[in-house]
């Protein structure tokens, strides 16, 4: 079940016309709304459900837990390292909080893996070195990509009742935090680039470049996970149950609609990730055109 999100997580919306991107007012809005919507919880004390043997088999058959766990640990390290370099006190406060949330995601996954006996050992974490700002930006665009795809996959898995609703309720807490992260990041990125004198056109071109890098990293991670899954001899039988009937077109539709639903909870004065929804719009338009062309090519009944 998908309960509707509140119309606004933040109270009365600010008029977009009254807010100049890159201004101090813009900075205060995206930082304060991120900080003020923080939710405190401890992964070890959550209401983890008891799973029967079938549910445990499904849980243990998911091949990507190790990759997700590593990604969250790496995210926490990148955000924490970058936060130490941020001069603006309000921006730094928000980024430090994001780092704490990313680290909590990793702890939550570790608790889940141990509780349900999942074969997902912790991989060594490489030192976070080099240009920390670029590492943070790369991470942010990667999170935008992962979240957009994750919204659709999460919705489909929940509707299929692949696992108990009570477990999806716990994952929903992470999904909400990831949504907050990407809205904060997109606004920080626009504010940051405006501070450096970059026009909207240059900002869009730069975003496209970083999205391209994120897509390349995602493709590499998928290939690596496939190899590791084969090496661990994971069975995909249980996992494929919730993928039954999931065509590429339907997946794009689910990602697009679920992203729109989640974004409606945010102040309309804030920027939101637009590249992937626009890409999905184009793909869905192509699907609809293809369907019309195919239907038009079919000879009506009774005609020759």
């Amino acid at each position: 079940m998908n309960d509707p999100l509140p119309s606004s997580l933040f109270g009365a919306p600010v008029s977009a016309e009254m807010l100049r991107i890159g201004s101090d007012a813009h900075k205060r809005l995206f930082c304060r709304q991120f900080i003020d919507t923080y939710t405190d919880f401890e992964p070890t004390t959550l209401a983890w459900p008891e799973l029967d043997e079938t549910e445990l088999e499904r849980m243990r058959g998911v091949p990507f837990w190790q990759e997700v766990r590593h990604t969250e640990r790496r995210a926490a390290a990148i955000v924490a390292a970058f936060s130490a370099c941020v001069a603006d006190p309000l921006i730094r406060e928000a980024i430090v909080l994001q780092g704490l949330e990313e680290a909590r995601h990793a702890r939550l996954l570790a608790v889940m893996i141990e509780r349900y006996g999942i074969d997902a050992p912790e991989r060594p974490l490489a030192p976070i070195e080099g240009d920390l700002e670029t590492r943070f930006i790369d991470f942010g665009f990667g999170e935008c990509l992962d979240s957009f795809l994750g919204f659709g996959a999460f919705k489909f898995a929940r509707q299929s009742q692949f696992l108990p609703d009570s477990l999806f309720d716990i994952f929903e807490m992470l999904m909400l935090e990831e949504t907050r992260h990407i809205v904060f990041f997109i606004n920080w990125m626009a504010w940051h680039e405006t501070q450096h004198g970059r026009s909207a056109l240059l900002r869009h071109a730069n975003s496209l470049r970083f999205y391209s890098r994120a897509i390349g990293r995602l493709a590499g991670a998928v290939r690596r996970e496939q190899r590791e899954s084969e090496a661990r001899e994971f069975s995909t039988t249980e996992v494929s149950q919730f993928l039954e009937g999931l065509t590429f077109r339907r997946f794009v539709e689910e990602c697009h609609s679920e992203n729109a639903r989640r974004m409606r909870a945010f102040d309309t004065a804030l920027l939101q990730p637009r590249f992937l929804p626009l890409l999905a719009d184009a793909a869905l338009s192509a699907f609809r055109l293809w369907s019309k062309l195919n239907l038009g090519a079919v000879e009506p009944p009774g005609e020759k």
Side-chain angles (χ1 to χ4, degrees):
M1 181 180 70
N2 274 328
D3 293 328
L5 293 169
S7 58
S8 175
L9 294 172
F10 313 114
V14 176
S15 170
E17 289 75 16
M18 296 172 58
L19 192 71
R20 180 171 57 85
I21 300 303
S23 65
D24 283 344
H26 177 221
K27 178 185 73 174
R28 287 193 299 272
L29 179 63
F30 71 78
C31 286
R32 288 308 330 164
Q33 292 190 344
F34 182 77
I35 293 167
D36 293 345
T37 54
Y38 169 76
T39 301
D40 189 28
F41 67 88
E42 171 52 46
T44 57
T45 61
L46 294 175
W48 294 98
E50 295 296 329
L51 303 183
D52 61 30
E53 286 303 316
T54 298
E55 292 165 341
L56 279 173
E57 185 178 353
R58 289 178 180 174
M59 191 77 163
R60 293 166 182 167
V62 174
F64 49 72
W65 292 128
Q66 185 183 50
E67 182 67 30
V68 174
R69 180 184 191 179
H70 182 76
T71 298
E72 293 294 353
R73 290 178 61 235
R74 178 176 169 275
I78 290 172
V79 176
F82 177 64
S83 68
C85 307
V86 177
D88 186 283
L90 183 58
I91 297 283
R92 184 172 61 248
E93 180 184 358
I95 294 177
V96 166
L97 181 60
Q98 181 183 353
L100 293 175
E101 291 184 358
E102 298 288 2
R104 187 171 60 183
H105 291 183
R107 291 203 317 276
L108 186 148
L109 288 164
V111 169
M112 182 193 75
I113 287 167
E114 181 177 358
R115 180 181 181 88
Y116 298 123
I118 299 169
D119 181 19
E122 189 172 275
R123 284 166 32 196
L125 194 65
I128 306 301
E129 299 172 335
D131 184 344
L132 294 178
E133 180 176 288
T134 300
R135 297 293 295 272
F136 179 73
I137 293 172
D138 269 329
F139 157 70
F141 279 102
E143 195 166 39
C144 290
L145 175 61
D146 293 345
S147 295
F148 184 80
L149 299 176
F151 292 155
F154 181 83
K155 178 182 178 181
F156 203 81
R158 186 162 199 168
Q159 287 177 337
S160 71
Q161 298 182 321
F162 180 69
L163 293 167
D165 256 356
S166 53
L167 197 53
F168 281 109
D169 287 342
I170 291 176
F171 294 149
E172 177 62 35
M173 299 167 68
L174 271 63
M175 297 298 286
L176 177 57
E177 290 191 347
E178 295 292 357
T179 311
R180 289 170 54 253
H181 292 177
I182 62 176
V183 172
F184 170 78
F185 170 74
I186 288 295
N187 283 271
W188 171 84
M189 186 70 180
W191 175 86
H192 176 71
E193 295 216 294
T194 302
Q195 297 302 303
H196 286 77
R198 297 186 183 111
S199 66
L201 182 61
L202 286 176
R203 294 201 307 269
H204 293 326
N206 211 22
S207 295
L208 183 59
R209 179 170 69 92
F210 278 105
Y211 269 122
S212 298
R213 288 157 62 107
I215 291 170
R217 289 193 304 274
L218 178 62
V222 169
R223 288 193 296 268
R224 181 172 63 250
E225 186 55 45
Q226 287 175 340
R227 291 194 301 268
E228 293 177 356
S229 295
E230 291 169 1
R232 293 194 296 268
E233 297 182 347
F234 268 138
S235 170
T236 59
T237 303
E238 294 294 339
V239 179
S240 64
Q241 287 185 2
F242 83 85
L243 297 176
E244 188 175 350
L246 181 60
T247 63
F248 179 69
R249 176 175 181 172
R250 184 175 176 189
F251 180 64
V252 173
E253 289 172 341
E254 297 288 14
C255 291
H256 189 275
S257 64
E258 188 65 3
N259 178 78
R261 183 183 76 88
R262 291 179 180 275
M263 289 300 159
R264 283 197 296 270
F266 290 83
D267 195 313
T268 55
L270 290 172
L271 297 175
Q272 297 178 4
R274 292 296 303 146
F275 172 70
L276 293 168
L278 287 173
L279 197 62
D281 271 334
L284 293 174
S285 295
F287 284 133
R288 287 190 289 269
L289 178 60
W290 180 257
S291 297
K292 288 180 180 178
L293 291 174
N294 281 347
L295 287 174
V298 175
E299 192 174 55
E303 294 185 15
K304 299 194 177 186

